[in-house]
Amino acid sequence: MLIQLLTAAALLAEPASERREPAPDARPAVVGETRDAILMLAAGPLHLRLHVSMGGEALARARQQLAEKLLRTLDADHDGRLSREEAARSPLLRTKERSSAKNFLKSIGAGDRTVDLRDIEQTIERIGGETVVYRQDAAASEPDKQVFDFLDVDKSGVIERNEVSIAAERLLDKDADRDMCIAFDEFAPPAPDPNDVVARLNQTPKPAATMSEMLRDMRDPFLGRRLLAVYDRDRSRNLTAKELGWTAEQAALIDTNRDKVLDAAELARIPEVPVELELVVDLAPPEGAVPSVQVLSPGVERLDNQDRPDFAKLRFRDAVISLSHRHIDPTERTMQSAMRVFNRLDGDANGYLEMAEVRDSRFERGLFELMDEDADGKVFGDEMKRYVAVRGEPAATTCRVNLYDTGSGFFLALDANGDGRISERERRSMHETLQQLDRDGDGGIAQVEPVRHFHIEFVRGTYVLFGAPEPSSSQLPAFQRRPPVGPSWFQAMDRNNDGDLSWDEFQGSRQDFDFIDSDQDALIDVQEAAKAEEEYQRERTRVTSAR
């Protein structure tokens, strides 16, 4: 019976030849652009070192390749330079000038100015901005309170023992779509009725993300002053090792005058302090590979099961830090944003924009003329697409490092693998997970009792029409679904992709389910599925040989 089941399921699944298995986890070579940064935690600053790359290349090299490609594409006469006419074929280099201005430039001998590779590189640098940018969203801690409120049944401000004991069963009520996984948005209260004017007026607006204050690049010329502002609680204008949460040996490394305190000038030498967290981040690996966030620091305590190359959860002093890569296609995202703008402005829905339709928008600032390639007074959808596709390329060579303060991390503690859902296996272990959050051992969990949680997210930059090069980060990290795992038949049955098969998902007899579920926990995991697959293959080989 088991053989027939596995054979039928395999026929329904994707052929093995069409699946790409993730690359083996190996310590990568340190490549890409190296940046040192400081994360200013409450207990003291944390020294991070980031090696950021795109396909193994530094971000600056990616921009250089973009400039070289642009020159090759536009240089029709192959003289290594672009004439004004050749440059005008690219939205990045095109300029719209009045006829009188052109005539004046010609009269002074400036009308034939050419563009070389260095000019193109400078334009890409100006448009793309910094290759690594740090942003922060402090509002990400607000949604976590919804999880605490759900667990705190009697609203006493403490999750007590009896509330911990019933939490797993109560959680089933939150599974609105009955997929045996509770997503974070299933905790959120229902959105207000769009027709309810009062509810919409009372709704608290989401604060926009800002440039990061907690996570700073070490090249910041005011870093010493910033450290004093955060940690100099006695206003002595210097910091001791204790105030920084350091050992005396760490502080001595930059204490140049040996007075056992550090002033702003000495604190500016903080890059000389040993790195505490070193990461390799590849934003655009070769085709078939998964964008990765890999931890190089050997002594860091891992809290995740290390089965995902794009996610890690680490413990540091008084904080838990999770790391992830946000999977987006910069070109697709740029196009979607641009076409939303196009459709909104195209009031008569005739497929093109006229100046009258964009009179109250930023098109008036020369953008309309830049998009209107044939100067016919109309901007068609294809013209806008071509403009934003090229205009978005410099932004796609940047890395946005988004820092989220996720509060006490109740949801992130329950969501062990960081896929944004509490699976059935995670739900069953809720009792033990919540007990670990009781730091003082008094049997109750206050809202601020667990250690602070932060999430650092790495994402490629995108260009947004009528906006900044990168829009504000979302209110929460972008949770990423785990890649399918296990044999092909297992993947076909695992409809919610949580890495386990429940009886409801299993497409076979109860006898087969119980046989494969060797530990009798009512869930078939990947290891049990792999063992069943091996037995099936052995039996298949035996039958074939017997023939």
Side-chain angles (χ1 to χ4, degrees):
M1 184 65 169
L2 177 59
I3 293 178
Q4 289 88 341
L5 167 69
L6 298 183
T7 303
L11 291 175
L12 297 173
E14 179 187 8
S17 60
E18 297 181 9
R19 298 196 313 273
R20 289 192 177 98
E21 298 295 335
D25 185 17
R27 182 179 175 88
V30 176
V31 296
E33 184 168 327
T34 300
R35 291 292 187 94
D36 278 23
I38 280 289
L39 177 58
M40 300 185 195
L41 300 173
L46 185 71
H47 185 177
L48 291 80
R49 177 162 294 160
L50 313 176
H51 306 283
V52 187
S53 66
M54 292 179 57
E57 297 282 358
L59 304 182
R61 175 55 184 158
R63 289 188 173 180
Q64 186 179 12
Q65 290 173 337
L66 175 60
E68 293 168 352
K69 175 185 174 183
L70 198 57
L71 180 61
R72 287 196 306 270
T73 303
L74 301 176
D75 185 14
D77 56 7
H78 306 292
D79 64 350
R81 304 178 68 85
L82 301 180
S83 66
R84 185 177 295 276
E85 290 73 20
E86 289 173 327
R89 291 166 51 201
S90 170
L92 285 182
L93 307 174
R94 184 185 307 143
T95 58
K96 290 291 183 180
E97 299 172 345
R98 296 187 304 272
S99 298
S100 58
K102 290 182 180 179
N103 294 333
F104 173 73
L105 290 174
K106 288 183 179 179
S107 69
I108 62 175
D112 298 327
R113 181 180 180 274
T114 58
V115 177
D116 60 17
L117 180 61
R118 181 57 185 158
D119 294 327
I120 299 174
E121 290 175 342
Q122 290 176 341
T123 299
I124 291 174
E125 284 291 323
R126 174 177 56 81
I127 293 174
E130 282 282 345
T131 52
V132 179
V133 177
Y134 306 91
R135 297 182 68 83
Q136 179 175 331
D137 191 342
S141 61
E142 293 299 320
D144 198 59
K145 295 177 182 178
Q146 297 168 5
V147 181
F148 178 85
D149 290 341
F150 170 77
L151 297 172
D152 181 20
V153 180
D154 61 6
K155 308 307 175 189
S156 65
V158 176
I159 304 173
E160 293 147 344
R161 283 194 179 96
N162 63 311
E163 292 169 329
V164 171
S165 64
I166 63 174
E169 186 170 348
R170 289 185 63 240
L171 196 63
L172 291 173
D173 296 335
K174 285 291 183 180
D175 187 14
D177 56 7
R178 300 303 178 209
D179 66 346
M180 298 191 71
C181 288
I182 296 84
F184 185 84
D185 56 12
E186 290 178 300
F187 281 95
D193 185 342
N195 298 318
D196 188 339
V197 177
V198 175
R200 285 191 287 110
L201 289 175
N202 290 332
Q203 191 174 15
T204 303
K206 294 180 180 179
T210 60
M211 298 305 294
S212 179
E213 292 295 329
M214 290 186 63
L215 184 61
R216 307 293 304 191
D217 196 293
M218 284 197 178
R219 298 181 304 176
D220 181 353
F222 303 107
L223 184 58
R225 298 181 189 177
R226 295 185 191 279
L227 289 167
L228 283 172
V230 173
Y231 298 108
D232 184 20
R233 297 178 179 88
D234 62 2
R235 297 295 182 264
S236 61
R237 298 186 180 181
N238 52 52
L239 296 177
T240 64
K242 182 178 180 180
E243 287 176 310
L244 287 167
W246 288 357
T247 64
E249 290 73 20
Q250 284 177 298
L253 292 173
I254 57 176
D255 183 14
T256 54
N257 61 7
R258 300 292 184 260
D259 63 354
K260 297 187 178 180
V261 293
L262 304 174
D263 58 24
E266 290 170 322
L267 288 168
R269 299 181 58 190
I270 199 169
E272 300 174 23
V273 176
V275 175
E276 296 168 272
L277 175 58
E278 188 172 9
L279 306 172
V280 170
V281 180
D282 196 337
L283 299 174
E287 184 179 357
V290 178
S292 60
V293 179
Q294 300 194 43
V295 180
L296 298 186
S297 305
V300 175
E301 181 183 359
R302 296 286 294 259
L303 301 181
D304 60 308
N305 55 16
Q306 303 187 44
D307 64 341
R308 290 179 52 188
D310 61 346
F311 178 79
K313 185 184 289 188
L314 316 170
R315 189 193 305 276
F316 286 99
R317 303 175 194 164
D318 64 338
V320 171
I321 301 172
S322 54
L323 310 157
S324 73
H325 175 274
R326 183 192 287 256
H327 305 271
I328 66 166
D329 182 332
T331 302
E332 180 181 355
R333 185 171 178 179
T334 295
M335 286 296 178
Q336 290 174 349
S337 173
M339 293 317 296
R340 281 196 297 269
V341 174
F342 184 92
N343 293 331
R344 186 178 71 248
L345 295 176
D346 185 16
D348 54 12
N350 60 1
Y352 60 84
L353 302 178
E354 297 176 287
M355 184 63 77
E357 292 177 300
V358 301
R359 196 168 302 282
D360 297 328
S361 70
R362 287 177 56 185
F363 270 94
E364 288 185 293
R365 304 179 184 179
L367 187 57
F368 189 97
E369 290 81 0
L370 288 175
M371 290 187 180
D372 184 13
E373 298 172 1
D374 54 8
D376 64 351
K378 301 174 183 178
V379 172
F380 288 83
D382 286 344
E383 287 179 311
M384 178 180 280
K385 286 180 179 179
R386 284 193 291 272
Y387 175 84
V388 298
V390 177
R391 181 62 177 75
E393 288 181 324
T397 62
T398 65
C399 176
R400 310 291 174 180
V401 184
N402 297 328
L403 173 66
Y404 301 87
D405 179 350
T406 48
S408 296
F410 286 96
F411 183 84
L412 294 178
L414 300 174
D415 176 24
N417 65 3
D419 68 349
R421 306 176 301 165
I422 301 172
S423 67
E424 177 63 12
R425 189 175 295 278
E426 290 166 339
R427 185 189 71 82
R428 294 182 185 184
S429 61
M430 277 185 65
H431 186 271
E432 293 78 12
T433 302
L434 289 173
Q435 284 184 323
Q436 293 173 5
L437 301 181
D438 180 14
R439 298 173 68 191
D440 58 14
D442 66 352
I445 308 167
Q447 186 167 327
V448 296
E449 185 169 341
V451 297
R452 200 70 174 178
H453 279 62
F454 297 91
H455 188 94
I456 299 177
E457 178 183 77
F458 302 91
V459 57
R460 289 179 70 182
T462 54
Y463 168 68
V464 179
L465 194 64
F466 300 157
E470 170 74 5
S472 298
S473 56
S474 63
Q475 199 171 12
L476 281 174
F479 295 111
Q480 305 294 339
R481 293 293 179 93
R482 57 185 297 160
V485 294
S488 57
W489 60 267
F490 182 89
Q491 295 182 25
M493 293 183 189
D494 185 15
R495 295 190 298 273
N496 62 9
N497 191 30
D498 66 346
D500 286 305
L501 289 185
S502 64
W503 166 238
D504 290 337
E505 293 175 307
F506 191 70
Q507 300 173 17
S509 69
R510 188 76 208 194
Q511 181 181 1
D512 288 333
F513 183 90
D514 292 339
F515 176 77
I516 300 175
D517 180 23
S518 57
D519 60 5
Q520 301 300 301
D521 65 350
L523 292 172
I524 296 175
D525 61 27
V526 175
Q527 290 74 27
E528 291 169 329
K531 182 178 179 181
E533 176 75 11
E534 291 175 3
E535 294 180 5
Y536 161 67
Q537 295 295 347
R538 281 198 299 268
E539 181 64 15
R540 184 179 181 183
T541 301
R542 186 189 66 78
V543 172
T544 302
S545 300
R547 291 176 183 172

